[in-house]
Structure formats: C-alpha cells, structure tokens
Amino acid sequence: HLPALLAPHRTSALVIGLGTGVTSAELARYQTMERIDTAEISSSVIKALPVFAPFTGSLHLDQRHSVIHGDAFRIMARSDQRWDMIISEPSNPWVLGVDALFSREFYRIAREHLNDGGLFVQWMHIRNASDRMLGTVLTTLRTEFPYLRVVMSQANDLILLASQEPLPNASLDRAAGLLADNSSVAGSLTEAGIPSLQALLAREIVPAPGLQGGRCGPQGPEAAGGEIGRAH
C-alpha cells in the first residue's frame, strides 16, 4: 500500500514475486489501477494462485492482472514497458540466484522502467541479516535511487521506498484523500492493524545520517558496506 498511496500516479505496477498473490491483490483495490503485472519464476507458485482466492479477491480472475513466468531480471531487461511502481519481494539476498535482484544492475534496470515520479519498493527480511548486509543493500539501492525512506512493516521486515526525487508533502494529502474515498483500502489496512494514515507513517524508521531527505553523504550507509553485484 505504501507506493500506491504515495505515488503521484497509480495506473500500473510490476510486482516481483507472486507468493500467495496478496501484494498484487491489494494493488487491485485501487480503482485507478489499469495494469498489474506479476513476475514469478516458479510454475508451481503460479498454478497455486487460485487456491488463495479467498484472500486475494479472486485475483486470478481479474482482467487487469497478468502473471509473467520467468526471471524478473530478464523480464525487465527485455521489456519496453514502464510502470508507476515496481515492488520487489524476493527472498534473502544471500540465497544463490536471488542476489541478482539486489544488485546495482537490477536497480538500474528497475529505474529505467519506471515512469516519471515512479516509486521502487524493496522488501527485505532482516532477521538473519547482519548490519553489514543491510548497509550493503542500502548503499547499492542508493546508487540508482538517491532518495530512500525506510519503514518497518512488522518485526524483522523492512520496506525500502526508493525514488529519484523526494516525495512532496502533497503526497500525504493525496494519500489521506485516497483512504477517505476508498473504503476497500481503508478496511484492508485496518484489518492489518493500521487504522489511519498516521498509524502507517508511524512505522517509518528514523534514517541514519545521510539518508534522511537527501542524497547519501560521506556518513551515509557507504560506511556499512560496499555495493552488491557490480558485474552480473
């Protein structure tokens, strides 16, 4: 919901990693969404999507939603499509094959496939991640997206909201209006224990020096680690 609420435009999205389909299904709650593409490498996961229909509003029947079978890195590299938001939800960066989705090359391709003002979201599970690993991911992401907001969705889970430009204050006004006008979105967030926009924003973590509100400076996350995957 974070990118959908805060993005200046919300007509198209690419979700990397289908899982149970809940992320893509939540995006479908926004009436302005015209196209939701989901990249998934596992055919078994794709086949299982109808099983989760009670939790996704029968996403598999939504004409706006398309599942693209394949590796997300190659899907984006070969595509001429652009999206208003790209949401990446792979497993941990130390898993063989998954590390490419945390590389500078991947983030560059993602940036090139965003519409003007588009937002990139990186989900990261940090329970088994060292400080150095987290710093490395932040540093690598910032090489392509100079503005970064960090939100803790739940214990051990971070949502990294990245953009080319800082989010304007008007984004909050639009988000408040969306929640007031869209009972489906408001109800879903309330069910997740987030009854208001203020409750959602309260989950933002105070960024480290060099992260807040601007480009990464010499005291930013570079001190924590180097870039991931300069060559792929």
Side-chain angles (χ1 to χ4, degrees), residues 34-113:
E34 299 173 358
R35 189 177 86 253
I36 305 169
D37 298 322
T38 304
E40 175 55 53
I41 198 170
S42 171
S43 58
S44 297
V45 171
I46 295 172
K47 291 177 182 177
L49 180 58
V51 175
F52 300 100
F55 310 102
T56 65
S58 297
L59 177 68
H60 63 293
L61 301 178
D62 194 319
Q63 296 300 309
R64 298 171 297 169
H65 181 244
S66 298
V67 177
I68 308 171
H69 185 199
D71 174 72
F73 199 113
R74 292 177 175 83
I75 287 171
M76 282 205 299
R78 297 170 181 171
S79 175
D80 59 359
Q81 295 279 359
R82 289 178 178 266
W83 296 272
D84 294 326
M85 59 196 82
I86 297 175
I87 302 173
S88 185
E89 300 180 323
S91 56
N92 298 305
W94 55 83
V95 177
L96 184 63
V98 175
D99 56 333
L101 300 183
F102 291 86
S103 67
R104 180 174 184 176
E105 289 78 7
F106 177 74
Y107 292 142
R108 184 186 68 249
I109 292 172
R111 173 177 56 78
E112 293 171 348
H113 284 77

Side-chain angles (χ1 to χ4, degrees), residues 203-225:
R203 293 175 181 244
E204 183 171 15
I205 297 172
V206 177
L211 278 177
Q212 189 167 18
R215 295 177 179 270
C216 190
Q219 300 301 315
E222 285 89 348

Side-chain angles (χ1 to χ4, degrees), residues 142-159:
R142 289 288 297 251
T143 59
E144 301 297 331
F145 295 96
Y147 295 92
L148 184 63
R149 310 291 290 267
V150 183
V151 176
M152 178 169 282
S153 59
Q154 57 185 358
N156 299 313
D157 283 352
L158 295 182
I159 297 173

Side-chain angles (χ1 to χ4, degrees), residues 119-140:
L119 298 179
F120 177 84
V121 170
Q122 175 74 70
W123 171 83
M124 188 175 181
H125 184 64
I126 60 171
R127 179 171 183 173
N128 296 314
S130 65
D131 291 345
R132 183 174 181 82
M133 172 60 72
L134 178 57
T136 300
V137 171
L138 292 172
T139 299
T140 306

